[in-house]
């Protein structure tokens, strides 16, 4: 089974930048698309950005378009989220997600999350 570990969160001032990383281990070859989600206090977990297995297609939430960039380096089993021009509303726990294909079924795999706090 796939395991995901995020890193790179922290405290930053509005307008600043952070880069999150998500390292995958285990059954790497079974990983399909990957994504970043975030969950603000008291709110649901929302999709921030998604990237296909080959990295050729990306999708972003409207709130982060033009500011965030998702990428993956399959040689390093790592996905990234470059976050620029951060705003206080970007604060939350950021989770790495992957779809794992096993025996023709897709499974949701989540990391433990990394906290991002943007101060005004």
């Amino acid at each position: 089974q796939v395991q995901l570990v995020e890193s790179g969160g922290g405290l930053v001032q509005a307008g600043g930048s952070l880069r999150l990383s998500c390292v995958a281990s285990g059954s790497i070859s079974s990983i399909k698309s990957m994504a970043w989600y975030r969950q603000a206090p008291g709110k649901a977990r929302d999709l921030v950005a998604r990237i296909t297995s080959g990295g050729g297609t990306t999708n972003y939430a409207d709130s982060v378009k033009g500011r965030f960039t998702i990428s993956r380096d399959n040689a390093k089993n790592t996905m990234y989220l470059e976050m620029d021009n951060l705003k206080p509303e970007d604060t939350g726990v950021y989770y790495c997600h992957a779809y794992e294909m096993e025996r023709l079924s897709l499974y949701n795999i989540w990391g433990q999350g990394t906290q991002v706090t943007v101060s005004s």
Side-chain angles (χ1 to χ4, degrees):
Q1 190 173 11
V2 173
Q3 295 84 41
L4 304 172
V5 178
E6 304 97 331
S7 63
L11 173 64
V12 64
Q13 288 188 332
S17 299
L18 282 175
R19 188 175 82 155
L20 305 183
S21 299
C22 171
V23 179
S25 61
S27 303
I28 302 299
S29 61
S30 65
I31 295 175
K32 300 306 177 183
S33 70
M34 298 183 72
W36 289 97
Y37 284 74
R38 71 184 174 197
Q39 187 166 21
K43 295 190 176 181
R45 190 175 297 186
D46 293 325
L47 177 67
V48 174
R50 179 172 298 284
I51 187 166
T52 52
S53 57
T57 301
T58 57
N59 300 99
Y60 297 91
D62 288 343
S63 60
V64 307
K65 284 181 181 177
R67 300 187 298 120
F68 290 12
T69 303
I70 188 172
S71 61
R72 63 193 289 178
D73 184 341
N74 288 338
K76 295 182 178 180
N77 301 326
T78 303
M79 177 179 66
Y80 304 97
L81 184 68
E82 183 71 38
M83 305 185 292
D84 298 316
N85 190 20
L86 282 159
K87 303 177 180 181
E89 52 263 42
D90 294 318
T91 294
V93 179
Y94 282 69
Y95 294 92
C96 175
H97 172 271
Y99 282 120
E100 178 182 5
M101 173 73 81
E102 185 174 351
R103 298 176 184 173
L104 301 181
S105 294
L106 278 177
Y107 296 89
N108 289 292
I109 308 298
W110 295 94
Q112 83 287 353
T114 185
Q115 176 71 45
V116 172
T117 303
V118 184
S119 63
S120 57

